[in-house]
């Protein structure tokens, strides 16, 4: 079956380096070889996936949709977040009546599954935002003057505040992820690698925007255990 392929990175830096694009292309090619797809068109974009007008700002995605209709075949993407993590955006794409296959989820993932994963990712972003705001409010209530020019870089006061802020941010991030990790374990994913794969499948990034590894999952679980002690 003929298919089109779509890849996307969010920044010019990623686009120029090719690192993110190369990984996506490799995943799509491997999937196409396994499943018997003939990729006849590639579309690549350097653009953020955020915003209600994301499709209008992504002409390559619009072109991929047009190609899919002309080919009467699917558009292949490596991960759901290369389309979007926004539920309404995903719903809009489904209304285009072009089949999207997320290679990370497999050929059998129907539109309902795509909506479910998009909803999980959207909720995770919302929780992070809420906890960040709550952390800033708590710091302000403790008397921390955010942006205080007297806290010059390198001074003991600055180091102490920065260290505390990093710890609180990491703790909040671990709490945000606790339900997803618990859900992974409840569904039978017992190893750190399986949990890492699950988080990557959902398109949930690490705090540094990278993909999950077993060690990264272990650090989160250790932090959660320390907080619970």
């Amino acid at each position: 079956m003929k298919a089109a392929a779509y890849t996307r990175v969010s920044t010019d830096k990623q686009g120029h380096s090719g690192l993110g694009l190369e990984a996506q292309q490799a995943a799509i090619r491997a999937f196409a070889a396994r499943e018997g797809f003939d990729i006849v068109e590639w579309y690549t974009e350097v653009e953020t996936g955020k915003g209600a007008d994301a499709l209008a700002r992504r002409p390559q995605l619009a072109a991929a949709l047009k190609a899919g209709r002309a080919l009467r075949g699917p558009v292949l993407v490596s991960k759901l977040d290369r389309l979007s993590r926004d539920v309404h955006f995903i719903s809009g794409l489904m209304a285009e009546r072009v089949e999207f296959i997320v290679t990370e989820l497999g050929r059998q993932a129907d539109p309902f599954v795509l909506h479910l994963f998009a909803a999980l990712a959207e909720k995770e972003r919302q929780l992070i935002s809420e906890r960040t705001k709550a952390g800033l409010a708590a710091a302000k209530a403790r008397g921390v003057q955010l942006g205080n020019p007297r806290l010059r870089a390198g001074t003991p006061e600055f180091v102490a505040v920065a260290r505390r802020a990093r710890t609180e941010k990491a703790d909040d991030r671990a709490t945000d992820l606790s339900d997803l990790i618990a859900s992974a374990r409840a569904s039978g994913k017992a190893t750190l690698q399986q949990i890492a794969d699950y988080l990557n499948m959902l398109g949930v990034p690490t705090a540094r925007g990278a993909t999950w590894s077993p060690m990264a999952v272990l650090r989160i679980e250790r932090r959660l255990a320390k907080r619970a002690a």
Side-chain angles (χ1 to χ4, degrees):
M1 179 183 292
K2 295 185 182 298
Y6 176 77
T7 60
R8 180 181 68 84
V9 291
S10 300
T11 67
D12 288 330
K13 182 177 179 181
Q14 290 174 317
H16 292 320
S17 71
L19 296 178
L21 294 174
E22 288 174 2
Q24 293 174 56
Q25 291 165 359
I28 292 172
R29 286 195 178 96
F31 176 86
R34 289 195 308 270
E35 299 293 336
F37 285 104
D38 177 20
I39 302 175
V40 297
E41 298 284 352
W42 284 88
Y43 298 90
T44 297
E45 205 127 48
V46 180
E47 179 61 68
T48 179
K50 298 179 181 179
D53 63 339
L55 185 57
R57 290 182 286 102
R58 291 160 66 179
Q60 289 299 298
L61 178 56
L65 285 167
K66 184 176 180 180
R69 283 191 289 268
L71 294 169
R72 298 189 181 219
V75 176
L76 308 182
V77 295
S78 61
K79 298 174 64 176
L80 184 59
D81 65 1
R82 296 306 83 200
L83 292 175
S84 177
R85 293 192 185 99
D86 183 272
V87 175
H88 296 297
F89 187 85
I90 296 296
S91 298
L93 288 181
M94 297 303 106
E96 296 285 341
R97 298 187 180 278
V98 174
E99 181 184 8
F100 281 92
I101 296 180
V102 179
T103 64
E104 193 173 51
L105 300 179
R107 193 171 183 177
Q108 302 306 316
D110 59 27
F112 173 77
V113 173
L114 299 185
H115 281 89
L116 176 61
F117 283 128
L120 286 171
E122 188 174 288
K123 182 62 176 178
E124 195 261 351
R125 288 201 319 277
Q126 178 186 343
L127 289 172
I128 291 173
S129 176
E130 290 174 353
R131 291 193 176 277
T132 299
K133 291 177 181 177
L136 291 173
K140 187 174 181 180
R142 289 196 306 272
V144 176
Q145 298 183 28
L146 303 176
N148 185 350
R150 290 176 294 179
L151 293 178
R152 297 186 302 276
T155 64
E157 293 83 1
F158 178 90
V159 172
V161 170
R163 182 182 295 115
R164 186 163 60 243
R166 285 196 300 270
T167 298
E168 290 177 353
K169 183 177 180 181
D171 286 345
D172 288 343
R173 172 68 169 167
T175 302
D176 290 337
L177 293 167
S178 60
D179 287 344
L180 288 177
I181 292 176
S183 175
R185 289 202 177 279
S187 65
K189 296 173 178 60
T191 69
L192 295 173
Q193 183 63 65
Q194 288 173 330
I195 295 173
D197 291 342
Y198 176 73
L199 293 173
N200 289 329
M201 180 180 66
L202 292 180
V204 177
T206 67
R208 296 184 177 181
T211 56
W212 287 91
S213 67
M215 183 55 67
V217 174
L218 180 60
R219 284 194 291 269
I220 292 293
E221 292 196 326
R222 284 176 174 172
R223 185 171 292 276
L224 289 170
K226 184 177 180 180
R227 294 197 73 180

